[in-house]
Amino acid sequence: MYKLARTGAVLATGLLTALALTGCGSDGDKDDAGKDSGSTTSPASGGASSDGGSAGDAKDLEGAWAGKSDDKPVVLSVSGGKAVVVADSHVCSGTVSGTGKPELELKCVDGDTTRITGAVESNDGRTVVVAWGSGTKDTLAKTDSDALENLPELPDMSGLPELPTP
């Protein structure tokens, strides 16, 4: 029972973090404008092919992405060169950079190493494929930030014992 509540709390925290990051995109766009004035936008159709077509650049990864890997939810949020991944009750954050094949460098709060280094294999603006250094591969769909607004309320967790801090 407590594990389910803690898992829900971790996922909710990650989703709120992801939502907060995607809501801050306008400031990041200003900072990136001077650095990457020659960039192109992600193609709406025909951009990535099934043979590992264009992965775009870090700016094309901006926004919220969600899907399932091994029947477990995975959420990736990118804004202003910062990235957050919530997967299998792990919350990881860090940076995304690069052109042609953007790379993610993350650090997980709990020390998990499944999704700490990743490379975007393809991104057609609707679906992104991220291959992680651990061998895990996530296929995620672009999500509308409004989709996160109607999440159910979390149960009262005030009676849970405090978790020890490392």
Side-chain angles (χ1 to χ4, degrees), residues 4 9 21 26 44 48 50-51 53 60 76 113-114 146 150 165:
L4 179 63
L21 274 177
S26 62
S50 60
D51 63 352
D60 293 333
L76 166 65
T113 59
T114 306
D146 294 336
N150 296 320
T165 55

Side-chain angles (χ1 to χ4, degrees), residues 23-32 79-80:
C24 302
S26 62
D27 290 337
D29 291 340
K30 279 189 224 172
D31 293 338
D32 290 343
S79 180

